[in-house]
PDB file of all heavy atoms in Angstrom:
ATOM      1  N   SER A1096      -0.732 -12.339   4.336  1.00  0.00           N
ATOM      2  CA  SER A1096      -0.435 -11.014   4.877  1.00  0.00           C
ATOM      3  C   SER A1096       0.928 -10.597   4.367  1.00  0.00           C
ATOM      4  O   SER A1096       1.726 -11.422   3.908  1.00  0.00           O
ATOM      5  CB  SER A1096      -0.455 -11.027   6.410  1.00  0.00           C
ATOM      6  OG  SER A1096       0.522 -11.923   6.906  1.00  0.00           O
ATOM      7  N   LEU A1097       1.204  -9.297   4.459  1.00  0.00           N
ATOM      8  CA  LEU A1097       2.514  -8.786   4.059  1.00  0.00           C
ATOM      9  C   LEU A1097       2.660  -7.355   4.542  1.00  0.00           C
ATOM     10  O   LEU A1097       1.698  -6.702   4.945  1.00  0.00           O
ATOM     11  CB  LEU A1097       2.707  -8.867   2.542  1.00  0.00           C
ATOM     12  CG  LEU A1097       1.707  -8.167   1.617  1.00  0.00           C
ATOM     13  CD1 LEU A1097       2.024  -6.677   1.455  1.00  0.00           C
ATOM     14  CD2 LEU A1097       1.700  -8.816   0.237  1.00  0.00           C
ATOM     15  N   HIS A1098       3.899  -6.895   4.477  1.00  0.00           N
ATOM     16  CA  HIS A1098       4.200  -5.496   4.773  1.00  0.00           C
ATOM     17  C   HIS A1098       4.524  -4.809   3.449  1.00  0.00           C
ATOM     18  O   HIS A1098       5.332  -5.318   2.661  1.00  0.00           O
ATOM     19  CB  HIS A1098       5.385  -5.376   5.722  1.00  0.00           C
ATOM     20  CG  HIS A1098       5.729  -3.947   6.056  1.00  0.00           C
ATOM     21  ND1 HIS A1098       5.086  -3.244   7.050  1.00  0.00           N
ATOM     22  CD2 HIS A1098       6.622  -3.085   5.508  1.00  0.00           C
ATOM     23  CE1 HIS A1098       5.579  -2.029   7.110  1.00  0.00           C
ATOM     24  NE2 HIS A1098       6.513  -1.900   6.179  1.00  0.00           N
ATOM     25  N   VAL A1099       3.901  -3.671   3.205  1.00  0.00           N
ATOM     26  CA  VAL A1099       4.137  -2.927   1.976  1.00  0.00           C
ATOM     27  C   VAL A1099       4.566  -1.513   2.327  1.00  0.00           C
ATOM     28  O   VAL A1099       3.942  -0.847   3.155  1.00  0.00           O
ATOM     29  CB  VAL A1099       2.885  -2.911   1.059  1.00  0.00           C
ATOM     30  CG1 VAL A1099       1.660  -2.377   1.794  1.00  0.00           C
ATOM     31  CG2 VAL A1099       3.138  -2.091  -0.205  1.00  0.00           C
ATOM     32  N   SER A1100       5.658  -1.073   1.714  1.00  0.00           N
ATOM     33  CA  SER A1100       6.079   0.315   1.864  1.00  0.00           C
ATOM     34  C   SER A1100       6.331   0.877   0.472  1.00  0.00           C
ATOM     35  O   SER A1100       6.930   0.212  -0.375  1.00  0.00           O
ATOM     36  CB  SER A1100       7.351   0.426   2.723  1.00  0.00           C
ATOM     37  OG  SER A1100       8.437  -0.229   2.112  1.00  0.00           O
ATOM     38  N   LEU A1114       3.233   4.944   1.493  1.00  0.00           N
ATOM     39  CA  LEU A1114       2.473   4.076   2.376  1.00  0.00           C
ATOM     40  C   LEU A1114       3.460   3.207   3.135  1.00  0.00           C
ATOM     41  O   LEU A1114       4.492   2.801   2.603  1.00  0.00           O
ATOM     42  CB  LEU A1114       1.524   3.164   1.577  1.00  0.00           C
ATOM     43  CG  LEU A1114       0.601   3.774   0.538  1.00  0.00           C
ATOM     44  CD1 LEU A1114      -0.142   2.668  -0.208  1.00  0.00           C
ATOM     45  CD2 LEU A1114      -0.394   4.699   1.196  1.00  0.00           C
ATOM     46  N   ASP A1115       3.147   2.895   4.369  1.00  0.00           N
ATOM     47  CA  ASP A1115       3.951   1.968   5.168  1.00  0.00           C
ATOM     48  C   ASP A1115       2.964   1.167   6.005  1.00  0.00           C
ATOM     49  O   ASP A1115       2.591   1.571   7.108  1.00  0.00           O
ATOM     50  CB  ASP A1115       4.931   2.736   6.047  1.00  0.00           C
ATOM     51  CG  ASP A1115       5.957   1.831   6.712  1.00  0.00           C
ATOM     52  OD1 ASP A1115       5.800   0.593   6.636  1.00  0.00           O
ATOM     53  OD2 ASP A1115       6.913   2.350   7.315  1.00  0.00           O
ATOM     54  N   LEU A1116       2.508   0.029   5.453  1.00  0.00           N
ATOM     55  CA  LEU A1116       1.390  -0.697   6.037  1.00  0.00           C
ATOM     56  C   LEU A1116       1.662  -2.194   6.103  1.00  0.00           C
ATOM     57  O   LEU A1116       2.247  -2.768   5.189  1.00  0.00           O
ATOM     58  CB  LEU A1116       0.123  -0.494   5.192  1.00  0.00           C
ATOM     59  CG  LEU A1116      -0.411   0.933   5.018  1.00  0.00           C
ATOM     60  CD1 LEU A1116      -1.500   0.953   3.955  1.00  0.00           C
ATOM     61  CD2 LEU A1116      -0.943   1.465   6.343  1.00  0.00           C
ATOM     62  N   THR A1117       1.227  -2.814   7.182  1.00  0.00           N
ATOM     63  CA  THR A1117       1.124  -4.264   7.259  1.00  0.00           C
ATOM     64  C   THR A1117      -0.340  -4.610   7.076  1.00  0.00           C
ATOM     65  O   THR A1117      -1.203  -4.082   7.795  1.00  0.00           O
ATOM     66  CB  THR A1117       1.633  -4.796   8.610  1.00  0.00           C
ATOM     67  OG1 THR A1117       2.986  -4.387   8.794  1.00  0.00           O
ATOM     68  CG2 THR A1117       1.569  -6.312   8.644  1.00  0.00           C
ATOM     69  N   VAL A1118      -0.659  -5.455   6.100  1.00  0.00           N
ATOM     70  CA  VAL A1118      -2.045  -5.732   5.736  1.00  0.00           C
ATOM     71  C   VAL A1118      -2.271  -7.233   5.643  1.00  0.00           C
ATOM     72  O   VAL A1118      -1.330  -8.005   5.444  1.00  0.00           O
ATOM     73  CB  VAL A1118      -2.405  -5.074   4.379  1.00  0.00           C
ATOM     74  CG1 VAL A1118      -2.286  -3.560   4.458  1.00  0.00           C
ATOM     75  CG2 VAL A1118      -1.506  -5.598   3.259  1.00  0.00           C
ATOM     76  N   ASP A1119      -3.546  -7.639   5.796  1.00  0.00           N
ATOM     77  CA  ASP A1119      -3.861  -9.052   5.592  1.00  0.00           C
ATOM     78  C   ASP A1119      -5.168  -9.203   4.836  1.00  0.00           C
ATOM     79  O   ASP A1119      -5.853  -8.220   4.518  1.00  0.00           O
ATOM     80  CB  ASP A1119      -3.878  -9.824   6.913  1.00  0.00           C
ATOM     81  CG  ASP A1119      -5.022  -9.444   7.861  1.00  0.00           C
ATOM     82  OD1 ASP A1119      -6.024  -8.850   7.401  1.00  0.00           O
ATOM     83  OD2 ASP A1119      -4.922  -9.752   9.062  1.00  0.00           O
ATOM     84  N   GLY A1122      -8.582  -7.704   6.005  1.00  0.00           N
ATOM     85  CA  GLY A1122      -8.787  -6.260   6.046  1.00  0.00           C
ATOM     86  C   GLY A1122      -8.167  -5.593   7.255  1.00  0.00           C
ATOM     87  O   GLY A1122      -8.390  -4.400   7.477  1.00  0.00           O
ATOM     88  N   ASN A1123      -7.397  -6.335   8.053  1.00  0.00           N
ATOM     89  CA  ASN A1123      -6.701  -5.722   9.170  1.00  0.00           C
ATOM     90  C   ASN A1123      -5.440  -5.028   8.664  1.00  0.00           C
ATOM     91  O   ASN A1123      -4.806  -5.497   7.719  1.00  0.00           O
ATOM     92  CB  ASN A1123      -6.316  -6.779  10.208  1.00  0.00           C
ATOM     93  CG  ASN A1123      -7.517  -7.532  10.737  1.00  0.00           C
ATOM     94  OD1 ASN A1123      -8.501  -6.929  11.156  1.00  0.00           O
ATOM     95  ND2 ASN A1123      -7.446  -8.855  10.723  1.00  0.00           N
ATOM     96  N   CYS A1124      -5.063  -3.934   9.293  1.00  0.00           N
ATOM     97  CA  CYS A1124      -3.822  -3.279   8.903  1.00  0.00           C
ATOM     98  C   CYS A1124      -3.309  -2.407  10.026  1.00  0.00           C
ATOM     99  O   CYS A1124      -4.036  -2.074  10.972  1.00  0.00           O
ATOM    100  CB  CYS A1124      -3.982  -2.483   7.611  1.00  0.00           C
ATOM    101  SG  CYS A1124      -4.689  -0.848   7.809  1.00  0.00           S
ATOM    102  N   ASN A1125      -2.044  -2.044   9.900  1.00  0.00           N
ATOM    103  CA  ASN A1125      -1.399  -1.204  10.898  1.00  0.00           C
ATOM    104  C   ASN A1125      -0.255  -0.476  10.199  1.00  0.00           C
ATOM    105  O   ASN A1125       0.542  -1.108   9.514  1.00  0.00           O
ATOM    106  CB  ASN A1125      -0.857  -2.074  12.044  1.00  0.00           C
ATOM    107  CG  ASN A1125      -0.417  -1.256  13.242  1.00  0.00           C
ATOM    108  OD1 ASN A1125       0.376  -0.348  13.118  1.00  0.00           O
ATOM    109  ND2 ASN A1125      -0.945  -1.608  14.409  1.00  0.00           N
ATOM    110  N   GLY A1126      -0.212   0.836  10.318  1.00  0.00           N
ATOM    111  CA  GLY A1126       0.870   1.562   9.671  1.00  0.00           C
ATOM    112  C   GLY A1126       0.562   3.027   9.493  1.00  0.00           C
ATOM    113  O   GLY A1126      -0.090   3.650  10.338  1.00  0.00           O
ATOM    114  N   SER A1127       1.005   3.591   8.374  1.00  0.00           N
ATOM    115  CA  SER A1127       0.847   5.020   8.147  1.00  0.00           C
ATOM    116  C   SER A1127       0.740   5.334   6.666  1.00  0.00           C
ATOM    117  O   SER A1127       1.192   4.568   5.815  1.00  0.00           O
ATOM    118  CB  SER A1127       2.030   5.791   8.751  1.00  0.00           C
ATOM    119  OG  SER A1127       3.241   5.433   8.115  1.00  0.00           O
ATOM    120  N   ILE A1139      -2.627   4.726  11.010  1.00  0.00           N
ATOM    121  CA  ILE A1139      -3.869   3.996  10.832  1.00  0.00           C
ATOM    122  C   ILE A1139      -3.763   2.608  11.446  1.00  0.00           C
ATOM    123  O   ILE A1139      -2.756   1.919  11.285  1.00  0.00           O
ATOM    124  CB  ILE A1139      -4.258   3.904   9.328  1.00  0.00           C
ATOM    125  CG1 ILE A1139      -5.563   3.120   9.157  1.00  0.00           C
ATOM    126  CG2 ILE A1139      -3.130   3.302   8.499  1.00  0.00           C
ATOM    127  CD1 ILE A1139      -6.153   3.240   7.759  1.00  0.00           C
ATOM    128  N   LYS A1141      -6.421  -0.727  11.736  1.00  0.00           N
ATOM    129  CA  LYS A1141      -7.716  -1.297  11.379  1.00  0.00           C
ATOM    130  C   LYS A1141      -7.759  -2.733  11.882  1.00  0.00           C
ATOM    131  O   LYS A1141      -6.872  -3.534  11.596  1.00  0.00           O
ATOM    132  CB  LYS A1141      -7.931  -1.259   9.866  1.00  0.00           C
ATOM    133  CG  LYS A1141      -9.303  -1.738   9.419  1.00  0.00           C
ATOM    134  CD  LYS A1141      -9.498  -1.438   7.928  1.00  0.00           C
ATOM    135  CE  LYS A1141     -10.828  -1.970   7.421  1.00  0.00           C
ATOM    136  NZ  LYS A1141     -10.807  -3.436   7.262  1.00  0.00           N
ATOM    137  N   ARG A1142      -8.792  -3.033  12.653  1.00  0.00           N
ATOM    138  CA  ARG A1142      -8.949  -4.371  13.208  1.00  0.00           C
ATOM    139  C   ARG A1142     -10.426  -4.707  13.214  1.00  0.00           C
ATOM    140  O   ARG A1142     -11.225  -4.021  13.820  1.00  0.00           O
ATOM    141  CB  ARG A1142      -8.380  -4.416  14.626  1.00  0.00           C
ATOM    142  CG  ARG A1142      -8.627  -5.676  15.419  1.00  0.00           C
ATOM    143  CD  ARG A1142      -7.980  -6.907  14.841  1.00  0.00           C
ATOM    144  NE  ARG A1142      -6.541  -6.806  14.639  1.00  0.00           N
ATOM    145  CZ  ARG A1142      -5.776  -7.810  14.216  1.00  0.00           C
ATOM    146  NH1 ARG A1142      -6.329  -8.988  13.928  1.00  0.00           N
ATOM    147  NH2 ARG A1142      -4.495  -7.648  14.036  1.00  0.00           N
ATOM    148  N   ALA A1190      -7.035   0.996   1.037  1.00  0.00           N
ATOM    149  CA  ALA A1190      -5.608   0.745   0.909  1.00  0.00           C
ATOM    150  C   ALA A1190      -5.102  -0.186   2.005  1.00  0.00           C
ATOM    151  O   ALA A1190      -3.963  -0.637   1.955  1.00  0.00           O
ATOM    152  CB  ALA A1190      -4.847   2.063   0.961  1.00  0.00           C
ATOM    153  N   CYS A1191      -5.955  -0.476   2.985  1.00  0.00           N
ATOM    154  CA  CYS A1191      -5.559  -1.281   4.139  1.00  0.00           C
ATOM    155  C   CYS A1191      -5.953  -2.744   3.995  1.00  0.00           C
ATOM    156  O   CYS A1191      -5.934  -3.468   4.986  1.00  0.00           O
ATOM    157  CB  CYS A1191      -6.215  -0.716   5.399  1.00  0.00           C
ATOM    158  SG  CYS A1191      -5.052   0.147   6.450  1.00  0.00           S
ATOM    159  N   ASP A1192      -6.323  -3.181   2.830  1.00  0.00           N
ATOM    160  CA  ASP A1192      -6.811  -4.545   2.639  1.00  0.00           C
ATOM    161  C   ASP A1192      -5.928  -5.249   1.613  1.00  0.00           C
ATOM    162  O   ASP A1192      -5.801  -4.796   0.473  1.00  0.00           O
ATOM    163  CB  ASP A1192      -8.268  -4.498   2.159  1.00  0.00           C
ATOM    164  CG  ASP A1192      -8.940  -5.853   2.205  1.00  0.00           C
ATOM    165  OD1 ASP A1192      -8.234  -6.881   2.206  1.00  0.00           O
ATOM    166  OD2 ASP A1192     -10.181  -5.893   2.231  1.00  0.00           O
ATOM    167  N   LEU A1193      -5.332  -6.368   2.004  1.00  0.00           N
ATOM    168  CA  LEU A1193      -4.474  -7.121   1.085  1.00  0.00           C
ATOM    169  C   LEU A1193      -5.250  -7.582  -0.139  1.00  0.00           C
ATOM    170  O   LEU A1193      -4.693  -7.681  -1.237  1.00  0.00           O
ATOM    171  CB  LEU A1193      -3.865  -8.327   1.810  1.00  0.00           C
ATOM    172  CG  LEU A1193      -2.973  -9.244   0.972  1.00  0.00           C
ATOM    173  CD1 LEU A1193      -1.830  -8.483   0.329  1.00  0.00           C
ATOM    174  CD2 LEU A1193      -2.448 -10.388   1.828  1.00  0.00           C
ATOM    175  N   PHE A1196      -4.847  -5.228  -3.108  1.00  0.00           N
ATOM    176  CA  PHE A1196      -3.589  -5.377  -3.842  1.00  0.00           C
ATOM    177  C   PHE A1196      -3.608  -6.637  -4.691  1.00  0.00           C
ATOM    178  O   PHE A1196      -3.228  -6.618  -5.866  1.00  0.00           O
ATOM    179  CB  PHE A1196      -2.417  -5.426  -2.864  1.00  0.00           C
ATOM    180  CG  PHE A1196      -2.199  -4.150  -2.108  1.00  0.00           C
ATOM    181  CD1 PHE A1196      -2.799  -3.938  -0.880  1.00  0.00           C
ATOM    182  CD2 PHE A1196      -1.386  -3.155  -2.618  1.00  0.00           C
ATOM    183  CE1 PHE A1196      -2.594  -2.762  -0.180  1.00  0.00           C
ATOM    184  CE2 PHE A1196      -1.170  -1.973  -1.926  1.00  0.00           C
ATOM    185  CZ  PHE A1196      -1.784  -1.780  -0.704  1.00  0.00           C
ATOM    186  N   SER A1266       7.507  -7.235   2.087  1.00  0.00           N
ATOM    187  CA  SER A1266       8.238  -8.070   3.035  1.00  0.00           C
ATOM    188  C   SER A1266       7.252  -8.662   4.043  1.00  0.00           C
ATOM    189  O   SER A1266       6.038  -8.462   3.924  1.00  0.00           O
ATOM    190  CB  SER A1266       9.306  -7.247   3.758  1.00  0.00           C
ATOM    191  OG  SER A1266       8.710  -6.186   4.498  1.00  0.00           O
ATOM    192  N   ALA A1267       7.791  -9.384   5.030  1.00  0.00           N
ATOM    193  CA  ALA A1267       7.001  -9.949   6.133  1.00  0.00           C
ATOM    194  C   ALA A1267       5.798 -10.744   5.624  1.00  0.00           C
ATOM    195  O   ALA A1267       4.697 -10.636   6.167  1.00  0.00           O
ATOM    196  CB  ALA A1267       6.549  -8.837   7.084  1.00  0.00           C
ATOM    197  N   GLU A1270       3.339 -12.980   7.929  1.00  0.00           N
ATOM    198  CA  GLU A1270       3.477 -12.600   9.327  1.00  0.00           C
ATOM    199  C   GLU A1270       2.236 -11.816   9.740  1.00  0.00           C
ATOM    200  O   GLU A1270       1.728 -10.995   8.977  1.00  0.00           O
ATOM    201  CB  GLU A1270       4.742 -11.766   9.537  1.00  0.00           C
ATOM    202  CG  GLU A1270       6.021 -12.533   9.264  1.00  0.00           C
ATOM    203  CD  GLU A1270       7.267 -11.715   9.527  1.00  0.00           C
ATOM    204  OE1 GLU A1270       7.150 -10.648  10.170  1.00  0.00           O
ATOM    205  OE2 GLU A1270       8.352 -12.142   9.094  1.00  0.00           O
ATOM    206  N   PRO A1271       1.720 -12.039  10.952  1.00  0.00           N
ATOM    207  CA  PRO A1271       0.442 -11.417  11.336  1.00  0.00           C
ATOM    208  C   PRO A1271       0.532  -9.905  11.485  1.00  0.00           C
ATOM    209  O   PRO A1271       1.589  -9.363  11.847  1.00  0.00           O
ATOM    210  CB  PRO A1271       0.118 -12.083  12.681  1.00  0.00           C
ATOM    211  CG  PRO A1271       1.441 -12.533  13.210  1.00  0.00           C
ATOM    212  CD  PRO A1271       2.248 -12.923  12.004  1.00  0.00           C
ATOM    213  N   VAL A1272      -0.568  -9.248  11.196  1.00  0.00           N
ATOM    214  CA  VAL A1272      -0.686  -7.819  11.463  1.00  0.00           C
ATOM    215  C   VAL A1272      -0.694  -7.616  12.976  1.00  0.00           C
ATOM    216  O   VAL A1272      -1.364  -8.367  13.692  1.00  0.00           O
ATOM    217  CB  VAL A1272      -1.993  -7.263  10.852  1.00  0.00           C
ATOM    218  CG1 VAL A1272      -2.191  -5.795  11.235  1.00  0.00           C
ATOM    219  CG2 VAL A1272      -1.985  -7.410   9.336  1.00  0.00           C
ATOM    220  N   PRO A1273       0.051  -6.646  13.502  1.00  0.00           N
ATOM    221  CA  PRO A1273       0.015  -6.389  14.948  1.00  0.00           C
ATOM    222  C   PRO A1273      -1.418  -6.232  15.447  1.00  0.00           C
ATOM    223  O   PRO A1273      -2.235  -5.546  14.820  1.00  0.00           O
ATOM    224  CB  PRO A1273       0.811  -5.087  15.093  1.00  0.00           C
ATOM    225  CG  PRO A1273       1.748  -5.090  13.930  1.00  0.00           C
ATOM    226  CD  PRO A1273       0.981  -5.739  12.803  1.00  0.00           C
TER     227      PRO A1273
END
Side-chain angles (χ1 to χ4, degrees):
S1096 61
L1097 57 83
H1098 180 84
V1099 55
S1100 63
L1114 309 175
D1115 190 351
L1116 299 170
T1117 302
V1118 298
D1119 68 19
N1123 302 309
C1124 82
N1125 191 306
S1127 63
I1139 179 168
K1141 184 170 177 285
R1142 172 64 56 176
C1191 254
D1192 192 338
L1193 178 56
F1196 294 92
S1266 61
E1270 295 182 14
V1272 175

